[in-house]
Amino acid sequence: MTGQLPPERLYLVGFMGAGKSTVGRNLSDRLGWPYRDLDDIIESETGKSIPEIFEMSEERFRELETKYLIRESEKPPPFVLATGGGVVVREKNRDVLKRTGTAIYLNVDFDVIYARIKFGEGRPLVPDGDDAYRKLKSLWDDRQEYYSAVGSTLPLGDESPEIVTEMILDELSQTTS
Ligand code: S3P
């Protein structure tokens, strides 16, 4: 499917490791819409990596996240924007996502998420140690209501990004037909 859907601002939301960036790039290829990644934008605008920004403070990172989310949301459709896993925590951001476009929540099973992200890899919120599973599960639990509040939920296991892309294209074509 290419070029058949009405242009929109498509936001991918979900926990770390849900596959937002890979699926976002696939969707962008399939739809012929530009792809952007909010974390990459924050890094290129500040000249700092996400871990370096978190070293200043998480609050600083959240301010930058809101600033660039708003800026991106004001750009004309169509585009696909992959967001960071914590974008939904601020009410202001949830409002922007709901008001300006269509958000899809990649609701990947927590054990699949954990297996993907447990080694950290540039993610400052992934803890070390024996307690890592419990701490991340608790963060995941706390965020569920926020993810579900901004858009439609796609329940997922360990499907490939290609399959997830097809599922989203199907969902979009149903909601717009
Ligand atoms: C975060 C998720 C990260 C990144 C930052 C904070 C979060 O993005 O924005 O480390 O709060 O869950 P990914 O979801 O792309 O890993």
Side-chain angles (χ1 to χ4, degrees):
M1 179 197 308
T2 308
Q4 291 173 5
L5 294 174
E8 57 181 316
R9 301 180 179 94
L10 189 57
Y11 301 114
L12 295 180
V13 303
F15 207 70
M16 295 173 270
K20 303 175 295 281
S21 306
T22 314
V23 170
R25 274 189 291 266
N26 285 352
L27 281 168
S28 149
D29 286 347
R30 292 289 302 279
L31 291 163
W33 297 356
Y35 169 74
R36 301 177 192 122
D37 178 303
L38 194 53
D39 282 347
D40 289 351
I41 290 168
I42 295 168
E43 290 189 324
S44 69
E45 291 287 343
T46 59
K48 293 187 166 54
S49 68
I50 303 291
E52 283 168 342
I53 301 169
F54 265 76
E55 267 169 39
M56 288 184 262
S57 69
E58 179 169 349
E59 187 54 25
R60 180 69 191 128
F61 175 77
R62 297 296 169 205
E63 281 162 14
L64 291 163
E65 193 174 43
T66 297
K67 172 177 171 183
Y68 291 112
L69 173 66
I70 291 172
R71 189 189 77 179
E72 293 306 309
S73 74
E74 288 168 350
K75 292 187 175 165
F79 61 76
V80 179
L81 183 76
T83 61
V87 77
V88 293
V89 173
R90 281 192 165 191
E91 188 179 358
K92 186 169 190 174
N93 298 353
R94 295 199 296 277
D95 178 58
V96 170
L97 294 168
K98 283 191 281 193
R99 202 168 30 77
T100 62
T102 297
I104 310 254
Y105 168 29
L106 304 185
N107 182 10
V108 176
D109 174 80
F110 180 74
D111 284 344
V112 174
I113 291 274
Y114 184 69
R116 290 180 187 169
I117 68 171
K118 61 184 172 190
F119 299 115
E121 289 161 359
R123 291 187 167 110
L125 289 181
V126 176
D128 290 329
D130 296 346
D131 232 10
Y133 182 95
R134 194 191 54 76
K135 286 183 181 154
L136 277 171
K137 176 69 166 55
S138 157
L139 187 62
W140 189 83
D141 285 338
D142 289 347
R143 289 179 175 177
Q144 291 312 302
E145 62 175 305
Y146 300 136
Y147 292 129
S148 328
V150 295
S152 53
T153 298
L154 200 59
L156 296 167
D158 201 12
E159 293 88 350
S160 69
E162 289 70 30
I163 299 277
V164 179
T165 304
E166 292 305 327
M167 291 166 83
I168 294 175
L169 289 171
D170 269 4
E171 161 121 7
L172 290 174
S173 60
Q174 279 166 31
T175 51
T176 54
S177 62

